[in-house]
Amino acid sequence: MTKYYQPEIECASREEILALQNERLVKQVQHVWDNVPYYRKKMEEKGLTPADIQSVDDLHKLPFLTKDDLRECSPYGLLAKPLKDCVRIPSTSGTTGKRVVAFYTQHDIDLWEECCARAIMAVGGTNEDVCHVSYGYGLFTGGPGLNGGSHKVGCLTLPMSSGNTDRQLQFMCDLGSTILCCTPSYAAYLGETAIEKGIQDQLKLKAGIFGAEAWTEEMRRDIEKKLGLKAYDIYGLTEISGPGVSFECEEQTGMHINEDHFIAEIINPETGEVLPEGEKGELVFTSITKEAFPLLRYRTRDICVLSRKKCSCGRTHVKMSKPMGRSDDMLIIKGVNVFPSQIETVLLEQGFPPNYQIIVDRVNNTDTFDINVEMPPEMFSDTVRDVTAKEKELVAALKAMLGIVAKVHLMAPKSIQRSEGKAVRVIDKRKMY
Ligand code: DLL
């Protein structure tokens, strides 16, 4: 049962991890060179052969891969195994363009599920737990990944998928779910509905494994209060396998990257230069154990910081901060950089629920910036004067955080559509013309 907490790997010394990474990287580069003509050509253009890559120190020489490469090669151009050896296809959600698909062999699925099992064990999961998986199943990797991890740990697994909130809560109460896996926005919605139904005290949840979208520390506290659990972050992306590339431990201060499977780098997104530990930049992954879809130096577009500070849980794998938004999530409004996460922080600090929508448009060559925000139920019944005062405070707090003024529209509770998967927070009408 403890097989998926692997202290000999997860708590290994830096030297041991590096030795493993060096050995696996050399093999992986040869595998890609032999089987992926598209990447081989990219290496040849830089005058490289596999002999040039002897260790992690040589990684920076290799060319990057981007989502554009994946789209150009889709579906089979980066496949490194015969199709007959592949057993499953996941797909990205296509929120930033055309969907791309990836491939797994059975070996790839086993390793991926092992990463998810580690994430479940890191939040205290055992075979005594009832693991309630409300990530979507199907082409999305959330449901299948946590489902497989939960089986490996030996939890009683509830493959709920997303949606049908009443049924989710019914199962949670009837079967005594102890671990909840879903997006943070759906967790907040489940909490809100449990409170409305007055069934909060029937919940047995102790931990939540929430990821697939950006969420703030304020949102973490909000969910923990509503659902009476400890909320942990989990990160991953379809191209690199799915959830479980990294996960939080009991310290809740960043996500340990499974360094025996993935080498992480932080680069300057403009120049591609590798940045030293502790600097903020774009996260780049090299997968060193995948067979079917082994991406070398894949640019995630997620902006974060890596830290090797000693962790109280004993794990030595490098930690990544919560992504501070994707480089392509950033809005430029009236010339100012705005991340949706900054807005979420202010809203929750000011006592508003995490239900909001940002609408950006361009009228007469000038950007407009509106935020629809739901009022908490108690504010909805306040006097107009009190509501106006609260609105003014919110506009001022947003200006202090962002440096520009947003037009805030306070809305009735429940008037903004809830999300069952990844929330749609931004409507940028400038991109629709
Ligand atoms: O979202 C995989 C996943 C499923 C992760 C369930 C965690 C839990 P994609 O749909 O390919 O895969 O989207 C990947 O989502 O590049 C990030 O921008 C974002 N993302 C994923 N996890 C987090 C997180 C899944 N914990 C993209 N915090 C990534 C912030 C996240 N953003």
Side-chain angles (χ1 to χ4, degrees):
M1 214 280 302
T2 53
K3 200 169 143 208
Y4 298 102
Y5 168 53
Q6 295 163 309
E8 72 286 1
I9 293 172
E10 293 180 73
C11 306
S13 69
R14 181 82 192 112
E15 294 67 39
E16 285 167 329
I17 287 291
L18 266 177
L20 187 67
Q21 287 186 335
N22 289 341
E23 183 198 321
R24 290 181 170 178
L25 175 66
V26 168
K27 270 198 201 139
Q28 188 71 303
V29 171
Q30 188 67 50
H31 173 54
V32 171
W33 173 269
D34 291 341
N35 295 292
V36 185
Y38 183 86
Y39 197 81
R40 179 180 179 140
K41 187 158 165 267
K42 269 184 168 267
M43 283 178 64
E44 283 170 343
E45 279 164 8
K46 288 192 122 201
L48 295 170
T49 69
D52 293 301
I53 311 299
Q54 292 298 319
S55 74
V56 176
D57 286 342
D58 298 322
L59 190 61
H60 68 99
K61 298 178 188 165
L62 286 171
F64 291 119
L65 278 172
T66 65
K67 194 109 168 198
D68 286 341
D69 289 308
L70 265 61
R71 290 198 176 110
E72 195 183 322
C73 293
S74 182
Y76 299 122
L78 292 167
L79 190 60
K81 277 283 192 185
L83 214 45
K84 68 175 170 45
D85 294 342
C86 299
V87 296
R88 188 180 177 113
I89 289 178
S91 159
T92 60
S93 52
T95 41
T96 58
K98 191 182 150 204
R99 281 172 177 273
V100 294
V101 296
F103 299 85
Y104 306 108
T105 60
Q106 187 56 49
H107 160 91
D108 294 335
I109 290 187
D110 286 339
L111 296 184
W112 170 41
E113 291 181 348
E114 198 172 291
C115 289
C116 291
R118 284 183 189 172
I120 294 172
M121 296 209 63
V123 310
T126 71
N127 57 2
E128 308 271 334
D129 279 295
V130 179
C131 185
H132 189 113
V133 184
S134 307
Y135 285 113
Y137 282 62
L139 287 168
F140 181 53
T141 54
L146 270 307
N147 190 94
S150 173
H151 282 194
K152 282 208 168 6
V153 175
C155 304
L156 176 63
T157 309
L158 298 185
M160 301 299 299
S161 196
S162 55
N164 202 335
T165 302
D166 284 347
R167 188 179 64 192
Q168 301 270 358
L169 290 168
Q170 182 84 55
F171 267 73
M172 241 179 241
C173 293
D174 290 353
L175 287 139
S177 307
T178 52
I179 299 178
L180 171 64
C181 308
C182 62
T183 58
S185 52
Y186 194 46
Y189 181 36
L190 284 165
E192 181 186 3
T193 313
I195 293 170
E196 266 170 26
K197 288 179 172 291
I199 55 168
Q200 249 180 323
D201 56 358
Q202 291 176 43
L203 300 176
K204 306 248 172 350
L205 294 169
K206 63 175 191 189
I209 305 182
F210 305 133
E213 63 184 2
W215 55 309
T216 57
E217 286 303 319
E218 291 74 18
M219 180 95 159
R220 189 204 299 266
R221 283 193 284 279
D222 182 67
I223 296 170
E224 289 189 333
K225 201 161 107 210
K226 283 182 176 147
L227 287 172
L229 46 67
K230 232 176 137 178
Y232 298 88
D233 207 347
I234 184 166
Y235 169 91
L237 58 167
T238 312
E239 303 90 308
I240 296 295
S241 73
V245 170
S246 66
F247 58 84
E248 264 186 345
C249 62
E250 66 224 27
E251 223 190 59
Q252 293 176 301
T253 54
M255 296 174 272
H256 290 284
I257 295 172
N258 281 305
E259 287 193 281
D260 48 332
H261 299 298
F262 313 105
I263 304 177
E265 298 168 277
I266 292 285
I267 62 158
N268 175 327
E270 259 104 59
T271 62
E273 174 208 357
V274 179
L275 299 176
E277 187 206 318
E279 284 202 27
K280 184 164 101 178
E282 180 179 344
L283 188 57
V284 172
F285 280 115
T286 295
S287 60
I288 47 177
T289 49
K290 277 183 70 175
E291 294 180 337
F293 205 66
L295 301 187
L296 305 182
R297 299 201 87 203
Y298 181 65
R299 293 183 59 159
T300 64
R301 294 183 284 183
D302 293 318
I303 303 294
C304 69
V305 174
L306 295 182
S307 163
R308 292 201 176 273
K309 234 173 95 194
K310 196 167 187 262
C311 184
S312 59
C313 77
R315 289 178 182 80
T316 48
H317 288 184
V318 70
K319 276 202 230 176
M320 59 179 270
S321 65
K322 268 184 181 302
M324 299 155 192
R326 289 168 80 108
S327 46
D328 48 6
D329 253 3
M330 190 183 76
L331 294 158
I332 302 180
I333 307 173
K334 298 177 187 169
V336 175
N337 298 349
V338 173
F339 282 100
S341 58
Q342 295 173 300
I343 295 170
E344 184 174 300
T345 298
V346 173
L347 290 179
L348 285 142
E349 270 173 7
Q350 296 284 317
F352 288 86
N355 306 316
Y356 61 95
Q357 205 147 43
I358 303 159
I359 299 147
V360 190
D361 203 349
R362 185 162 291 152
V363 179
N364 297 332
N365 282 330
T366 307
D367 290 338
T368 60
F369 177 24
D370 291 71
I371 310 177
N372 294 336
V373 183
E374 267 184 27
M375 285 184 262
E378 56 291 358
M379 189 188 298
F380 192 50
S381 49
D382 275 355
T383 63
V384 173
R385 186 156 15 111
D386 287 346
V387 170
T388 312
K390 198 73 201 142
E391 188 176 334
K392 273 196 182 146
E393 270 173 43
L394 180 58
V395 171
L398 284 165
K399 175 150 190 262
M401 170 70 97
L402 308 172
I404 51 169
V405 176
K407 212 185 243 177
V408 169
H409 307 272
L410 294 185
M411 325 261 293
K414 293 247 151 199
S415 49
I416 294 176
Q417 201 187 350
R418 300 294 186 267
S419 110
E420 294 168 349
K422 300 192 191 219
V424 181
R425 304 285 198 202
V426 180
I427 301 172
D428 192 343
K429 295 188 179 166
R430 298 172 301 184
K431 291 187 181 156
M432 298 172 190
Y433 300 131

